Amino acid sequence: MILVGVGAVCSGGLLLLLLYWLPEWGVKSTCTHTTLKDAHTVLLRTTDEFRQWFRAKVHVMLPENQLPNGDGDLEFKCVVSPLSPSQVHYFVHHSTRYYWNDVIQNFELYKGLEDVNVSCASLHSEHSSGLSKTLQDYRRLFFGENEIAVRVPSLLKLLVKEVLNPFYIFQLFSIILWSFEDYYYYASAIVFMSIISIATSLYTIKKQYVMLHDMVAAHSVVRVSVCRGNKDIEQAMSTELVPGDVIVIPANGMIMPCDAVLFRGTCIVNESMLTGESVPVTKTSLPSAGEEGARSYNMDEHKKHTLYCGTHVIQTRFYAGELVKAVVVRTGFSTEKGQLVRSILYPKPTDFKLYHDAYLFLLCLVGVAGIGFIYTIVLSIMNKVPAKTIIIESLDIVTITVPPALPAAMTAGIVYAQRRLKRIGIFCISPQRINMCGQLNVVCFDKTGTLTEDGLDLWGIHRAEDGSFCSPESEAAKDSLVNTTFVACMATCHSLTKIEGELSGDPLDLKMFSATGWILEEPTEEETALHNPIMPTVVRPPKHIAPESHQSNPLTQSMELSELSACEIGIVRQFPFSSALQRMSVVVRRLGVKHMDAFLKGAPEVVASLCRQHTIPQTFTETLEDYTRQGFRVIALAHRQLESKLSWHKVQSLSRDVIETNMEFLGLIIMQNKIKPETAGVLCELQRANIRTLMVTGDNMLTAISVARDCGMVRPHEKVIIADAVPPKDFQPASITWHYTENQMTFRYCSSAIDKIELDEGTWDGEVSQQEQSYHFAVSGKAFAVILEYFPQLVQKLVLRATVFARMAPDQKTQLVEVLQSMDYTVGMCGDGANDCGALKRAHSGISLSELEASVASPFTSSTSNISCVPNLIREGRAALITSFCVFKFMALYSIIQFISVILLYSVLSNLGDFQFLFIDLIIILTIAFTMSLNPAWKELVWRRPPSSLISGQLLCSVLTQILTCLVFQVLAFLLVRQQSWYETWTPQSDACNVSRSIFSLRVNVTDPQNHKNIRNYENTSLFYISAFQYLAVAIVFSKGKPFRQPSYKNWLFMLTCIGLYTFLLLIMLHPFPAVDNFLEVNFVALMFSLFSTLHVQVANDRWASSVLSWLFCRRHKAPRALYMQLALELQEGSEWPPQPSAVTYAITRATVSENQHEM
């Protein structure tokens, strides 16, 4: 610590800044290494590709009493050290507490009740009565307040953090140095630009924090009813809740303040905050007996019984006066919502090659500055220059070589692009991401509300009778169909409920039920309390279409209901839809009929497999294939008459496998998911621009594939292969079954099925031709999780060709983005729900179509609710990226040109004058840098993308050849002027160079006694004019136009600036203006030919350099660098991918490996 203190004083505080920027150095230099248990400070490092370092302080908590001995808290005994139960060591990182665990000798994260592997049965028996007040208070010491606290930092704290950025520190150093040189004007300009930049950044960051705080705080604190023992119920604030508390869910619903598992009653919940699907779901109580009851509670496995924080419980159902209760499982940042907020607050850094290369390029400039620094010191000592002048001039070389105005100049193009985006309804809260949009080569789209309108529409029905299909019908509400079993199935086989008098539930169920025209009636709260058995939900047709009594055909007697009363049907039991089983079923009883019936609906193939063979039409496969090819979502219906002896009580205990068998096939329902009008055109435009498109949705697989075909993500001739992965079970390893959605006979198992790598200008351009792709993988969220865990070697191969990701949870969407980024894709994400927040934040470019929750996490928010904003954003991103390249190269050349000028002048103990510096830096450089950034985006997306790297051969050679050209012309001018007959070496006592530039008037000036800096000499004037014209020539050369930006001649402000500066320089060079000459401290030098030579050579030079050096550095058979391209080449060479239809791939377990090794 003493050495660090001395170093900080000697370095003027720079050492402290260095330790602030590099936490690992800070910890190692100020702390002593010790055991983890005794540590006061811990050094943390992320395990991802970024390998970030963090510093955390270890705290010691002293609980008032030791751990209670009651059974209710035994599960948390590992939190406290057994050796010193009154002391608890912990540290906080990213809003999460980590506690020391003596058992594992490490710090551990405690999420809540789930950590102790409590079984479902014990949740009912041991945790259903609630916690005592004492136990609750004690647990709160460890789990903290139940709140997702988003602290809005003060402006002072944000300002300090922003100002400590290395660029601003360097600007501060430059400003101080210029102040010593009395160079106040340019210093003031830099200060002004820095203040604007810092203020803009602070406003944006503060606004993001406030928006996130408001979103989280809206419903974070509510009053809840907490159980204290079996009978006692008290009111408390939700912030007091801890894992293990039992809360009562009110009948009229609530916003959940925590994650809790339902163990009594039923809830109808809107989970759109998490899933993005605005479909109320039914949550049932946790099973308490049998095999399910013996299993350990797991939030993922038992999500149908779990109420998540932030979701809206719309209403509850309870019977015989019993309360609906739930046990608190997780609180605060450990909840699902808390983890979502954490992913927004602490996103992983986004690695973008441009910024990485820019830092490398700046390091090269620093190296050049170091050479100039040493050269200046040595030269000044040899010429016996005073020490103060040596220090100032040598440090001045650093500020010349690394231009302090670079950040402001680089930001200009982004600011202009941001303004153009705002004009077309795209708002940006993270301007640096605009450049990244220019490199996007894959865009992930949410489905519902993004690609499609909300919900499905009924296209028609296709009934089956006596083992054959009838003609398709467009309406199911016709009088002639009202008493058919088909319509009865449509009216009952759903999970709809009434909320405040309005039908609510799955959009598919809503459309299907509303198509029948029937009415749904639910029992009231009073009715359920008065009757011992549960009163069923009843459906019946409207009175005006009740069938008249008539004799039915004896052959169809079993399918037609001749009695009026039989049209009223009660739903006795529901087996909810299972994505794993791909079906749902209900048991119903018609009014006045003794027996019960079972109705089933689901995926056609699944339903057909459960039906008696003779009831399935022979043309079933062809008919189904015809509908699916047209992009329809097809659902099959089936029916079965149950035995008369089955009572209501027996039905409640039957498993669905007993019910869902021996069914009678009823027919098909054909649904259509309407795509937004703009969707297909935008996706086609992106594909033409060689930008890959993916669908990442929370909806089911079949709908997602159907929409992918309709919108053009998957073309009609292309196959979709569903990767169905299951985890290990009963000593069987994890496996993937590959299902082909269509007949595979026409599929070609050869290398031509693999995407082709196109050649562009003699190099692998790294683009996979979407036109050649003939198959796509489709993966569900469950399968994705299994593949990530058990098949890591297949993840990238699968993702390379996967187009549809269905049933994806919010964290899985983020994981997918990370996998794509690990394959060197530049990823865009477009969504509209809070469930997309993590992915929107993690992607290189996130675009929200909603101004609600998603916009808080998303760098971009579109005011239009369709994806037409995506190509607009990419166009502007490409223009901004090219502008950044242009400006960076221009600023780099500006610093090198000025460096050459100053180094040459130092050799004759001269320098550029203050007003010469000011004219160059302020009038030429800043004006050009800000106006050359104004070129708008090109009107269409082209096939190739802008370069992503500054360290590419073509760009580097372009810069190097320009540097050589400038160097040659400046050295020639410097040497030629000294060869002229009128040249005279300057000394403080001579009148050399003090003759007015108006040589025609023969008027002689008196020597300026203040000109002891040797500014007004022939070398100075020559290099000033040569360099001034070189700045303008370089600007014109580097200001690129199409195919990514509009041509420079359309940027009238830039053209006027260039023409104006050229005219002014020519004018003051060819005609004497004493006031201007004295201001700029220049003389007449007859080297006007240099202007035209410089411009001509530099423009020609940029053209031949690009072509020659492309030929040298970008050879034809150069291997691609991007990982996804290398993988595509590997797959192209192999013939075993994709897997054969119905093939099964098994995970390689350790046992298998050991067995194989033993055999060898």
Side-chain angles (χ1 to χ4, degrees):
M1 287 294 291
I2 295 172
L3 288 175
V4 170
V6 172
V9 172
C10 295
S11 63
L14 287 177
L15 180 61
L16 293 179
L17 276 174
L18 189 64
L19 298 182
Y20 169 78
W21 293 330
L22 302 168
E24 67 276 23
W25 288 18
V27 171
K28 290 174 182 177
S29 60
T30 59
C31 301
T32 307
H33 192 274
T34 184
T35 61
L36 194 58
K37 182 180 179 181
D38 300 324
H40 291 175
T41 301
V42 290
L43 186 61
L44 312 172
R45 190 175 189 179
T46 59
T47 55
D48 57 19
E49 68 273 22
F50 300 103
R51 312 286 285 171
Q52 287 180 285
W53 291 96
F54 296 95
R55 177 177 185 161
K57 183 176 176 60
V58 177
H59 303 275
V60 178
M61 183 169 62
L62 301 172
E64 294 179 1
N65 59 329
Q66 292 189 3
L67 196 68
N69 294 321
D71 292 339
D73 209 49
L74 284 176
E75 63 268 18
F76 296 109
K77 63 185 177 184
C78 51
V79 173
V80 179
S81 166
L83 299 176
S84 55
S86 60
Q87 272 197 352
V88 181
H89 293 256
Y90 71 95
F91 68 87
V92 180
H93 175 63
H94 286 177
S95 302
T96 305
R97 286 188 183 187
Y98 296 82
Y99 290 95
W100 176 256
N101 188 331
D102 260 338
V103 177
I104 62 172
Q105 287 292 298
N106 205 341
F107 287 93
E108 192 174 9
L109 168 66
Y110 291 93
K111 294 182 178 178
L113 205 61
E114 197 180 356
D115 293 326
V116 294
N117 293 325
V118 59
S119 69
C120 297
S122 64
L123 270 170
H124 281 269
S125 59
E126 299 173 14
H127 297 272
S128 59
S129 58
L131 302 177
S132 65
K133 185 70 175 172
T134 307
L135 196 52
Q136 185 196 49
D137 292 341
Y138 189 70
R139 284 193 185 178
R140 197 178 302 116
L141 290 174
F142 299 99
F143 292 100
E145 296 286 325
N146 175 35
E147 61 175 343
I148 303 170
V150 178
R151 313 290 182 199
V152 180
S154 64
L155 277 175
L156 180 62
K157 187 175 180 180
L158 289 174
L159 177 64
V160 170
K161 189 175 180 181
E162 186 73 15
V163 168
L164 291 181
N165 183 292
F167 267 122
Y168 290 123
I169 296 297
F170 180 69
Q171 285 184 335
L172 180 64
F173 160 75
S174 303
I175 290 163
I176 293 170
L177 181 64
W178 294 333
S179 299
F180 278 110
E181 297 182 90
D182 300 330
Y183 188 38
Y184 297 116
Y185 300 100
Y186 188 63
S188 302
I190 293 295
V191 168
F192 177 71
M193 288 189 296
S194 299
I195 289 172
I196 292 176
S197 177
I198 291 170
T200 305
S201 180
L202 289 183
Y203 172 77
T204 304
I205 295 170
K206 182 85 172 179
K207 184 180 177 183
Q208 280 183 269
Y209 270 109
V210 170
M211 286 175 66
L212 184 59
H213 175 270
D214 292 346
M215 184 194 87
V216 172
H219 304 289
S220 60
V221 181
V222 294
R223 292 196 71 82
V224 291
S225 299
V226 183
C227 296
R228 299 273 181 242
N230 290 324
K231 298 293 182 183
D232 297 335
I233 295 176
E234 65 177 40
Q235 295 295 310
M237 298 305 295
S238 59
T239 51
E240 299 174 14
L241 295 175
V242 295
D245 268 329
V246 174
I247 59 173
V248 176
I249 312 296
N252 58 349
M254 66 185 295
I255 302 291
M256 287 300 296
C258 58
D259 287 350
V261 58
L262 197 64
F263 69 90
R264 187 175 296 167
T266 305
C267 291
I268 296 164
V269 187
N270 183 348
E271 291 188 330
S272 61
M273 195 282 297
L274 286 178
T275 64
E277 304 296 326
S278 55
V279 179
V281 293
T282 302
K283 301 283 185 174
T284 56
S285 59
L286 193 70
S288 60
E291 186 181 338
E292 281 290 323
R295 295 175 65 180
S296 294
Y297 169 75
N298 181 280
M299 190 173 283
D300 293 327
E301 288 183 18
H302 296 96
K303 59 185 178 183
K304 290 184 179 178
H305 316 291
T306 304
L307 306 172
Y308 294 104
C309 179
T311 59
H312 182 200
V313 178
I314 302 169
Q315 69 179 32
T316 63
R317 289 182 180 176
F318 54 93
Y319 308 105
E322 291 185 352
L323 297 175
V324 177
K325 294 181 181 180
V327 180
V328 176
V329 179
R330 294 183 186 178
T331 58
F333 277 100
S334 296
T335 62
E336 287 290 308
K337 182 179 179 181
Q339 291 177 44
L340 182 63
V341 173
R342 281 183 71 239
S343 70
I344 298 170
L345 279 174
Y346 312 106
K348 288 185 180 180
T350 303
D351 188 22
F352 190 47
K353 198 164 179 58
L354 170 65
Y355 301 134
H356 181 259
D357 290 348
Y359 282 115
L360 287 178
F361 206 93
L362 285 175
L363 283 176
C364 294
L365 292 179
V366 169
V368 173
I371 296 169
F373 182 81
I374 294 168
Y375 167 81
T376 305
I377 292 175
V378 172
L379 189 68
S380 299
I381 291 172
M382 289 172 61
N383 287 285
K384 299 179 181 180
V385 176
K388 180 184 177 183
T389 307
I390 292 176
I391 293 170
I392 290 175
E393 288 189 346
S394 56
L395 290 175
D396 204 24
I397 283 288
V398 178
T399 65
I400 287 170
T401 315
V402 184
L406 180 62
M410 291 280 286
T411 305
I414 297 172
V415 171
Y416 297 146
Q418 189 176 3
R419 285 171 53 191
R420 290 194 294 268
L421 286 171
K422 191 174 182 179
R423 284 199 293 269
I424 58 175
I426 301 173
F427 303 93
C428 175
I429 60 173
S430 182
Q432 294 302 324
R433 301 276 184 132
I434 296 176
N435 272 343
M436 296 184 185
C437 297
Q439 274 296 310
L440 292 183
N441 50 13
V442 59
V443 183
C444 305
F445 292 96
D446 182 35
K447 183 186 74 67
T448 309
T450 303
L451 298 174
T452 66
E453 307 287 355
D454 289 324
L456 294 160
D457 289 317
L458 182 74
W459 181 84
I461 61 174
H462 206 157
R463 295 187 302 125
E465 288 184 0
D466 300 328
S468 61
F469 278 117
C470 304
S471 300
E473 295 161 288
S474 59
E475 292 184 17
K478 294 191 291 189
D479 293 359
S480 58
L481 298 176
V482 71
N483 56 350
T484 60
T485 313
F486 187 93
V487 171
C489 183
M490 287 181 67
T492 56
C493 197
H494 53 70
S495 56
L496 299 178
T497 186
K498 276 197 171 180
I499 299 171
E500 297 179 356
E502 293 291 327
L503 273 179
S504 183
D506 189 293
L508 187 148
D509 287 347
L510 278 170
K511 289 287 182 183
M512 184 180 73
F513 182 77
S514 61
T516 64
W518 285 39
I519 297 167
L520 182 140
E521 293 177 349
E522 287 188 324
T524 63
E525 186 179 319
E526 292 77 11
E527 287 173 327
T528 55
L530 288 171
H531 296 79
N532 187 24
I534 299 174
M535 295 231 8
T537 299
V538 174
V539 295
R540 58 178 176 79
K543 292 179 182 178
H544 70 276
I545 62 166
E548 297 177 4
S549 297
H550 62 277
Q551 289 295 320
S552 300
N553 188 318
L555 294 176
T556 60
Q557 185 71 35
S558 62
M559 298 292 288
E560 301 291 337
L561 306 174
S562 58
E563 299 291 333
L564 172 63
S565 61
C567 289
E568 191 167 301
I569 305 171
I571 302 171
V572 176
R573 189 179 181 193
Q574 287 182 353
F575 294 99
F577 177 80
S578 166
S579 55
L581 300 175
Q582 296 187 336
R583 64 181 186 264
M584 79 160 289
S585 59
V586 292
V587 177
V588 302
R589 172 172 278 170
R590 295 183 178 88
L591 193 62
V593 177
K594 292 182 180 180
H595 63 80
M596 295 188 189
D597 294 276
F599 289 122
L600 172 75
K601 77 167 183 192
E605 298 89 345
V606 175
V607 171
S609 68
L610 299 172
C611 291
R612 296 194 297 273
Q613 192 62 38
H614 72 273
T615 66
I616 303 170
Q618 291 183 352
T619 58
F620 170 79
T621 304
E622 293 82 357
T623 304
L624 177 61
E625 195 171 296
D626 184 51
Y627 283 127
T628 53
R629 274 210 187 102
Q630 296 177 56
F632 290 114
R633 168 80 188 279
V634 183
I635 299 160
L637 304 182
H639 161 258
R640 177 188 168 194
Q641 182 176 311
L642 301 178
E643 296 82 2
S644 302
K645 61 181 181 181
L646 276 179
S647 65
W648 180 88
H649 290 285
K650 284 185 180 179
V651 167
Q652 301 305 314
S653 60
L654 283 177
S655 70
R656 67 188 304 165
D657 293 334
V658 176
I659 301 291
E660 297 170 348
T661 185
N662 251 353
M663 308 292 284
E664 185 177 354
F665 187 78
L666 294 179
L668 305 172
I669 299 175
I670 298 96
M671 309 292 287
Q672 187 176 21
N673 198 183
K674 284 190 177 177
I675 295 172
K676 290 183 178 180
E678 303 82 4
T679 297
V682 169
L683 294 179
C684 183
E685 183 180 2
L686 293 176
Q687 288 169 351
R688 281 201 304 268
N690 201 31
I691 296 170
R692 186 180 166 199
T693 55
L694 307 180
M695 184 189 300
V696 189
T697 176
D699 210 340
N700 68 63
M701 177 69 77
L702 296 176
T703 303
I705 293 174
S706 170
V707 171
R709 288 194 181 280
D710 286 350
C711 65
M713 275 190 188
V714 179
R715 294 182 178 84
H717 66 278
E718 295 171 337
K719 308 295 177 185
V720 177
I721 307 169
I722 298 176
D724 185 13
V726 292
K729 187 178 181 182
D730 299 333
F731 304 105
Q732 291 293 321
S735 63
I736 307 174
T737 307
W738 309 92
H739 300 290
Y740 281 60
T741 57
E742 288 188 16
N743 185 3
Q744 77 282 1
M745 295 304 290
T746 58
F747 189 73
R748 297 169 294 167
Y749 291 96
C750 62
S751 59
S752 63
I754 307 298
D755 291 357
K756 184 171 70 175
I757 304 292
E758 297 290 336
L759 287 175
D760 179 27
E761 298 181 5
T763 65
W764 295 109
D765 71 348
E767 305 305 332
V768 179
S769 172
Q770 299 294 324
Q771 309 298 328
E772 298 296 323
Q773 185 162 313
S774 52
Y775 70 92
H776 302 259
F777 287 116
V779 187
S780 67
K782 183 180 176 182
F784 185 68
V786 172
I787 292 167
L788 280 180
E789 184 173 357
Y790 298 102
F791 299 88
Q793 76 281 5
L794 290 182
V795 171
Q796 293 186 343
K797 289 171 71 175
L798 193 67
V799 169
L800 184 70
R801 295 291 182 268
T803 300
V804 177
F805 294 86
R807 293 295 186 203
M808 296 287 278
D811 60 324
Q812 289 179 322
K813 292 185 179 184
T814 308
Q815 286 174 346
L816 174 62
V817 170
E818 290 172 356
V819 169
L820 287 165
Q821 289 173 336
S822 71
M823 296 169 66
D824 298 331
Y825 278 110
T826 307
V827 187
M829 174 73 197
C830 183
D832 67 334
N835 63 315
D836 301 317
C837 283
L840 288 168
K841 191 78 172 179
R842 185 68 188 95
H844 291 104
S845 172
I847 311 142
S848 168
L849 303 186
S850 164
E851 297 183 11
L852 302 175
E853 296 99 333
S855 63
V856 178
S858 177
F860 303 95
T861 303
S862 173
S863 58
T864 56
S865 59
N866 59 66
I867 63 170
S868 61
C869 59
V870 176
N872 291 332
L873 182 60
I874 295 174
R875 273 195 293 269
E876 288 296 345
R878 289 182 173 186
L881 184 58
I882 287 295
T883 299
S884 294
F885 276 113
C886 295
V887 171
F888 192 91
K889 290 196 294 181
F890 172 69
M891 295 298 286
L893 259 295
Y894 143 66
S895 63
I896 294 296
I897 291 169
Q898 198 169 81
F899 172 79
I900 294 169
S901 301
V902 171
I903 287 293
L904 288 172
L905 290 174
Y906 275 4
S907 67
V908 293
L909 300 181
S910 182
N911 198 353
L912 291 173
D914 286 349
F915 289 105
Q916 288 176 341
F917 272 123
L918 188 68
F919 178 78
I920 292 170
D921 294 344
L922 203 59
I923 305 302
I924 296 181
I925 301 304
L926 287 185
T927 309
I928 290 292
F930 287 136
T931 55
M932 76 186 299
S933 304
L934 286 169
N935 292 41
W938 187 242
K939 56 191 173 184
E940 62 184 30
L941 284 176
V942 294
W943 172 263
R944 63 191 182 94
R945 292 192 307 279
S948 61
S949 174
L950 280 168
I951 317 295
S952 64
Q954 188 174 345
L955 288 174
L956 273 180
C957 293
S958 172
V959 171
L960 288 173
T961 49
Q962 295 296 335
I963 291 173
L964 287 173
T965 304
C966 295
L967 175 64
V968 167
F969 274 86
Q970 286 205 47
V971 170
L972 279 175
F974 183 77
L975 296 175
L976 281 174
V977 74
R978 305 183 78 171
Q979 303 294 323
Q980 304 305 310
S981 57
W982 38 260
Y983 174 78
E984 183 180 348
T985 305
W986 177 91
T987 62
Q989 289 77 30
S990 73
D991 287 336
C993 308
N994 285 324
V995 180
S996 170
R997 293 174 59 234
S998 179
I999 59 174
F1000 307 106
S1001 65
L1002 301 177
R1003 183 165 57 86
V1004 179
N1005 285 339
V1006 180
T1007 301
D1008 182 4
Q1010 300 299 322
N1011 193 19
H1012 295 298
K1013 291 184 178 180
N1014 187 11
I1015 300 300
R1016 199 165 184 175
N1017 57 54
Y1018 292 122
E1019 291 93 341
N1020 171 291
T1021 302
S1022 304
L1023 293 180
F1024 171 74
Y1025 280 118
I1026 287 287
S1027 63
F1029 285 120
Q1030 284 180 341
Y1031 298 133
L1032 294 173
V1034 165
I1036 293 170
V1037 167
F1038 285 154
S1039 185
K1040 302 290 185 183
K1042 63 181 184 179
F1044 305 115
R1045 303 198 307 168
Q1046 296 283 355
S1048 291
Y1049 62 80
K1050 290 191 175 182
N1051 182 355
W1052 60 269
L1053 201 56
F1054 174 68
M1055 295 304 296
L1056 284 178
T1057 302
C1058 289
I1059 293 169
L1061 286 171
Y1062 263 115
T1063 305
F1064 175 75
L1065 286 169
L1066 282 170
L1067 196 60
I1068 64 173
M1069 189 172 65
L1070 298 173
H1071 190 277
F1073 290 96
V1076 176
D1077 293 349
N1078 291 331
F1079 179 78
L1080 293 175
E1081 300 180 87
V1082 292
N1083 300 290
F1084 174 78
V1085 180
L1087 291 174
M1088 292 169 294
F1089 67 91
S1090 61
L1091 161 67
F1092 305 104
S1093 303
T1094 302
L1095 177 61
H1096 172 74
V1097 171
Q1098 283 189 288
V1099 173
N1101 170 50
D1102 191 61
R1103 293 193 175 184
W1104 68 257
S1106 297
S1107 55
V1108 170
L1109 295 167
S1110 294
W1111 180 80
L1112 285 174
F1113 287 96
C1114 305
R1115 294 173 186 166
R1116 284 190 169 272
H1117 298 292
K1118 189 176 178 181
R1121 291 184 181 179
L1123 185 58
Y1124 72 90
M1125 292 189 295
Q1126 296 173 13
L1127 189 58
L1129 285 174
E1130 289 175 15
L1131 294 181
Q1132 191 172 2
E1133 293 168 2
S1135 59
E1136 298 179 356
W1137 194 259
Q1140 298 282 341
S1142 302
V1144 180
T1145 304
Y1146 292 100
I1148 300 174
T1149 61
R1150 289 183 183 177
T1152 308
V1153 174
S1154 302
E1155 213 172 284
N1156 293 340
Q1157 289 175 346
H1158 180 71
E1159 287 174 2
M1160 291 172 68

